[in-house]
Amino acid sequence: MKIAVMGYGTIGSGVVEVLKINRDKIAKRAGEPVEVKYILDLRDFPGDPMEDKIVHDYQTIVNDPEVGVVVETMGGVEPAYTFVRAMLEAGKQVATSNKNLVAAKGAELIKIARDHGVNFQFEASVGGGIPIIRPLNKCLTGDEIIEITGILNGTTNYMLTKMTEEGADFDDVLKDAQNKGYAEKDPTADIEGHDPCRKIAILTSLVCGKQVDFEDIHCEGITKITATDIQYAKAMNRSIKLLASSKLVGDTYSCMVAPFLLPATHPLCGVNGVFNGIFLKGNVLGDAMFYGSGAGKLPTASAVVADVVDMVKHQHTNIYIDWVNEKMELVDYKASKNAFFVRTTSDRATVEAAFGEVAYVDAVVDGDVAFTTGTMTEEEFEKKSQQIVMVNRIRLG
């Protein structure tokens, strides 16, 4: 099987490396050898072992009948969408690690693939090297998934872990994450929660079979978490984690990305560093947990190559994925229910006048009044919190 790789950056070069490292195993599992014929990139790579495979025009791949599978690791929606669509329409199977593309165009590309008797697969778009999409599509199809809650971004998890272990400030750990290559020069997608937001949109779309737009999901990042918040978390025997969650409510879903204070007993509480964890609850299965490297060159490339092998084994057979372009209307974020940890400079009388009965937490900082609330809607909390001088609030998991 001749394949092409579009995008020779971190993940694309990782795919080429995995195909080389595990060449014999992959050939055995795929039923035939898998060989890279083209690498599409704007750049030239003089001296690279794959230098002679580099092409600059995607039509070269489109028009070559020998190429049966194409890997897309370019990132972004365009020109990736244009290129992937052209490949599928030319009868080529496509595997991608591109969460932006899948979140925006997943349902459409699945349909185009089905119409042309080929496959569009995207295991690596959520959770990097952790298998989650294939289990949802194949292993858990007898279940109704009631909840998916995950730590889906290694950068922010690394930063929160470092703040917890070292008592460091947000700005210092961000610089450290950038120096180590975990955070981009522009870290907005990570620290503001946009990256896990796209991932939970993809997972919810797969669970409900309809299009969940990430723009409809309430999204908060970790930029307001301080070293003082971490001290309170420790005092409460909890950890702060950026969670992306999707919960079945009636015939729709309540989705959110935000920091939560998790108790030590929560299965995601011990997921630290750059690792990811995904917690599932099924109506028959009960609880399940997926844990592993959520990013990185070779773990992500491993998931892409797994899709390639699957597609080589299923030539001329469309592997059905239940995800259509009909929009799923999510629960209004203001109607979703949570309990909250609150820091305020208002006195206890003012707090109780606003919230009624609360559980106080011993102050870590002079002048702070800290407490936890019962469960209430986001709208109720907003109204009540306007009656106090709020320093910060974090939801309880």
Side-chain angles (χ1 to χ4, degrees):
M1 171 61 69
K2 300 286 197 296
I3 77 164
V5 176
M6 300 195 296
Y8 198 45
T10 303
I11 309 304
S13 60
V15 168
V16 172
E17 199 174 323
V18 170
L19 288 168
K20 188 177 172 185
I21 294 168
N22 292 333
R23 182 189 178 103
D24 295 340
K25 269 270 191 292
I26 289 163
K28 190 177 176 187
R29 287 171 180 162
E32 61 182 287
V34 177
E35 183 186 308
V36 177
K37 184 168 184 182
Y38 299 113
I39 295 170
L40 178 75
D41 206 287
L42 290 171
R43 300 160 294 176
D44 289 304
F45 293 85
D48 190 279
M50 305 300 284
E51 182 183 4
D52 61 327
K53 312 279 189 191
I54 302 289
V55 294
H56 303 303
D57 184 355
Y58 77 102
Q59 292 289 350
T60 305
I61 302 166
V62 171
N63 296 322
D64 188 336
E66 253 199 341
V67 176
V69 177
V70 178
V71 168
E72 186 276 307
T73 53
M74 299 160 59
V77 178
E78 282 294 358
Y81 168 71
T82 299
F83 292 3
V84 168
R85 182 179 179 132
M87 300 302 161
L88 295 171
E89 289 173 344
K92 302 179 192 302
Q93 318 218 55
V94 177
T96 184
S97 60
N98 184 346
K99 62 190 165 287
N100 294 33
L101 176 67
V102 177
K105 303 287 187 179
E108 188 182 333
L109 292 169
I110 288 165
K111 184 179 187 304
I112 293 167
R114 191 178 302 140
D115 290 347
H116 289 82
V118 291
N119 293 291
F120 174 67
Q121 294 202 347
F122 42 92
E123 180 62 66
S125 66
V126 177
I130 305 172
I132 182 62
I133 288 170
R134 196 169 277 104
L136 282 176
N137 283 337
K138 293 188 176 178
C139 313
L140 299 173
T141 50
D143 263 78
E144 179 164 53
I145 304 299
I146 297 165
E147 177 185 349
I148 303 176
T149 298
I151 294 169
L152 296 175
N153 183 271
T155 302
T156 47
N157 203 43
Y158 170 81
M159 290 172 65
L160 289 171
T161 301
K162 200 164 177 71
M163 287 174 79
T164 300
E165 289 175 351
E166 299 178 9
D169 284 317
F170 177 86
D171 291 340
D172 294 335
V173 297
L174 175 57
K175 283 196 189 88
D176 175 69
Q178 286 172 319
N179 291 338
K180 286 194 165 78
Y182 297 144
E184 302 285 342
K185 192 175 177 184
D186 177 1
T188 308
D190 293 328
I191 62 175
E192 294 293 359
H194 304 155
D195 172 80
C197 189
R198 285 182 168 87
K199 291 171 180 174
I200 200 67
I202 292 168
L203 293 178
T204 310
S205 297
L206 288 168
V207 165
C208 73
K210 295 180 182 177
Q211 176 67 25
V212 174
D213 292 332
F214 69 90
E215 297 95 337
D216 294 344
I217 297 174
H218 178 76
C219 182
E220 297 173 22
I222 63 166
T223 53
K224 291 178 181 167
I225 302 296
T226 66
T228 306
D229 295 321
I230 299 284
Q231 285 178 276
Y232 274 109
K234 286 181 177 175
M236 297 163 72
N237 196 27
R238 288 175 178 257
S239 290
I240 300 174
K241 300 291 183 186
L242 181 66
L243 299 185
S245 70
S246 173
K247 294 175 184 174
L248 182 66
V249 179
D251 57 0
T252 182
Y253 292 81
S254 174
C255 297
M256 181 182 290
V257 175
F260 278 77
L261 273 158
L262 298 185
T265 52
H266 194 287
L268 291 170
C269 188
V271 177
N272 292 318
V274 292
F275 283 88
N276 281 196
I278 303 164
F279 169 78
L280 285 184
K281 189 187 283 286
N283 69 333
V284 185
L285 167 75
D287 296 350
M289 180 83 173
F290 298 80
Y291 171 82
S293 298
K297 179 176 179 171
L298 294 181
T300 306
S302 163
V304 175
V305 172
D307 279 346
V308 171
V309 170
D310 201 26
M311 292 192 291
V312 174
K313 283 160 57 179
H314 291 91
Q315 292 173 59
H316 317 298
T317 306
N318 177 259
I319 302 162
Y320 185 77
I321 299 174
D322 181 25
W323 179 359
V324 298
N325 220 351
E326 182 188 340
K327 185 176 164 72
M328 169 60 80
E329 296 294 342
L330 299 174
V331 171
D332 181 353
Y333 138 76
K334 289 190 174 179
S336 60
K337 292 183 176 181
N338 287 295
F340 297 83
F341 164 74
V342 184
R343 289 170 53 205
T344 177
T345 53
S346 302
D347 60 27
R348 290 191 174 198
T350 308
V351 166
E352 286 162 29
F355 285 93
E357 193 177 327
V358 297
Y360 289 103
V361 178
D362 289 342
V364 169
V365 176
D366 288 344
D368 254 12
V369 171
F371 62 94
T372 59
T373 73
T375 302
M376 62 187 74
T377 66
E378 294 281 339
E379 188 169 30
E380 284 176 285
F381 178 80
E382 277 180 31
K383 282 179 183 167
K384 291 177 179 185
S385 65
Q386 284 167 10
Q387 298 169 53
I388 63 169
V389 180
M390 194 164 66
V391 177
N392 203 1
R393 62 96 177 93
I394 305 170
R395 294 169 184 87
L396 298 178

